[in-house]
Amino acid sequence: MAYKKPFKKYERIDFKKTVKPTVEVPEVKADWGALLQEALTKPGVMATCYRNFHNYSIGNQMFILWQMQARKIEIGPVNTFVRWAKLERPVRKGEKAITICVPRTFTKKDKNAVDGDNSGDKHGMYFTWQRCLFAISQTEGGAEYVPEPIPGFDVVRALESFNITLGKFDSLNGNAQGYANKDGIALNPTAEHPMGTIIHEIAHVVLGHTDGGFQTDVTKAIPKHVKELEAEAVSYIVGVSLGFSS
């Protein structure tokens, strides 16, 4: 019996009707509350997800891990059927694909628009479930698998993304590892964990703890000790995921 590729075709979508997935949605029985609790409390879960599935969203990372554990599939890198074939590691016959949630975009043209004018077009997004991934343990072949490099942390890019500036440390408190204010962040040149401190201070700005664009009336009222806890939690999670000390 010929082995068929585990992909399902999508029918043409009629945008006059309600936009929704046009394929059968697989039954999902994940206990999302327990899944999140495990991710936050069980050591190594977040790092394992990021190390093996860093090309996917955190939601898909956790969902992939949950499916592997439920189906007793060895935890490891995942790829599509076609990608594994190109890596000379074909998927074994009979293996069932792992499901992920895939975003899809659409554009609804404005019928009354003048030629060349697309300002009235409407854009949107919807999500579909797609069975399209296989773990390395579901493949076979003599080709040695070389893992894709995990993206490193680019401080400059992170600061530019959030429009945060890294200024000169001019605090008289030599014990301070760094600080954040409305203008950006600063790092003590003698900070014990410089990378972790930068993440900590970026978190303060992004979480709305400073007098800047991210701050709201709600975040302004948060007690200082809670702000420190939130920023340190972000620093810890990012540090564990990327493999550096926070």
Side-chain angles (χ1 to χ4, degrees):
M1 181 177 178
Y3 180 58
K4 297 181 179 179
K5 292 183 180 180
F7 297 109
K8 291 189 174 183
K9 295 182 179 179
Y10 292 82
E11 302 172 358
R12 184 178 179 81
I13 298 174
D14 183 359
F15 292 113
K16 295 180 181 179
K17 301 178 181 179
T18 303
V19 177
K20 57 184 178 180
T22 56
V23 296
E24 180 183 355
V25 179
E27 185 177 3
V28 180
K29 297 182 179 179
D31 185 341
W32 297 108
L35 201 60
L36 179 60
Q37 181 69 15
E38 179 183 13
L40 296 175
T41 58
K42 187 175 180 180
V45 171
M46 294 297 294
T48 298
C49 284
Y50 184 78
R51 186 167 55 251
N52 289 290
F53 322 128
H54 57 79
N55 286 329
Y56 304 93
S57 67
I58 184 63
N60 273 327
Q61 288 180 22
M62 294 305 303
F63 191 40
I64 292 170
L65 180 65
W66 175 80
Q67 290 176 83
M68 286 183 164
Q69 292 174 336
R71 293 167 53 185
K72 295 181 171 34
I73 298 175
E74 183 180 347
I75 307 300
V78 293
N79 259 315
T80 62
F81 182 93
V82 174
R83 181 59 179 162
W84 280 128
K86 289 182 178 179
L87 293 174
E88 298 182 4
R89 293 198 63 92
V91 176
R92 287 193 299 268
K93 292 183 179 181
E95 293 288 351
K96 294 183 178 180
I98 295 168
T99 301
I100 58 173
C101 187
V102 181
R104 297 185 179 278
T105 59
F106 67 87
T107 300
K108 184 178 180 180
K109 295 291 184 180
D110 183 3
K111 294 182 179 180
N112 301 319
V114 180
D115 292 344
D117 180 16
N118 57 4
S119 59
D121 293 353
K122 295 183 179 180
H123 305 276
M125 178 182 292
Y126 63 98
F127 295 82
T128 64
W129 295 104
Q130 187 173 2
R131 299 183 180 95
C132 59
L133 298 181
F134 295 89
I136 188 173
S137 59
Q138 295 176 287
T139 67
E140 58 187 2
E144 181 181 358
Y145 174 69
V146 179
E148 295 182 17
I150 296 177
F153 178 71
D154 188 333
V155 174
V156 175
R157 184 177 178 184
L159 293 172
E160 290 178 348
S161 298
F162 295 113
N163 196 27
I164 298 173
T165 58
L166 178 60
K168 182 180 179 181
F169 183 85
D170 56 8
S171 173
L172 298 178
N173 183 2
N175 293 322
Q177 300 293 292
Y179 59 80
N181 54 37
K182 64 179 180 179
D183 298 318
I185 66 173
L187 175 69
N188 189 331
T190 63
E192 184 176 358
H193 301 295
M195 191 66 74
T197 301
I198 288 179
I199 299 296
H200 179 103
E201 303 306 338
I202 290 177
H204 273 310
V205 177
V206 176
L207 292 173
H209 297 167
T210 62
D211 295 326
F214 291 95
Q215 190 179 57
T216 65
D217 291 338
V218 174
T219 59
K220 191 174 182 179
I222 298 176
K224 182 178 179 179
H225 69 278
V226 176
K227 293 179 180 179
E228 290 300 325
L229 178 61
E230 290 180 344
E232 191 58 27
V234 171
S235 178
Y236 173 76
I237 291 174
V238 174
V240 170
S241 298
L242 297 179
F244 59 77
S245 176
S246 61

